[in-house]
Amino acid sequence: MFYCILGEDTPDSLDKRLAARPAHLARLKALQEEGRLLLAGPFPSIDSVDPGPAGFSGSLIVAEFTSINDAKVWANDDPYVAAGVYASVTVKPFKKVLPA
């Protein structure tokens, strides 16, 4: 089943985010190589593809896991959690409808 992982950033987290980004992306690429990643990306803090120093307000990952517990364990082991980028992480089941 797919699960939505929503990370909400702490204020002024851009420097921490940039430092932890390579390790964060490596985990996402592993999910992608396993065919389990549906989508992933950050939420710019301003209405811009490149928000510059405004940074990001959080991230969304939708990926396949065997259970919500497995998804929560994976999410809580993210380098952004360890680096203090995320103030909170929410994991919810996700049912993909479109595109088919």
Side-chain angles (χ1 to χ4, degrees):
M1 177 167 199
F2 284 110
Y3 294 89
C4 167
I5 299 169
L6 179 64
E8 295 286 339
D9 281 23
T10 59
D12 301 315
S13 62
L14 184 59
D15 289 340
K16 292 177 187 176
R17 179 180 273 273
L18 292 174
R21 188 171 189 262
H24 172 77
L25 289 179
R27 295 179 84 230
L28 291 172
K29 287 181 182 182
L31 283 178
Q32 183 179 22
E33 289 169 0
E34 295 168 6
R36 297 171 44 206
L37 183 64
L38 185 62
L39 63 90
F43 299 113
S45 291
I46 59 173
D47 189 12
S48 174
V49 173
D50 181 5
F56 300 90
S57 63
S59 304
L60 172 66
I61 299 165
V62 180
E64 189 174 21
F65 293 91
T66 56
S67 70
I68 194 166
N69 187 56
D70 287 347
K72 287 179 178 181
V73 167
W74 187 93
N76 288 330
D77 285 342
D78 193 281
Y80 282 178
V81 172
V85 174
Y86 291 154
S88 66
V89 177
T90 303
V91 179
K92 296 181 179 186
F94 180 81
K95 181 180 176 184
K96 181 179 182 261
V97 175
L98 293 172

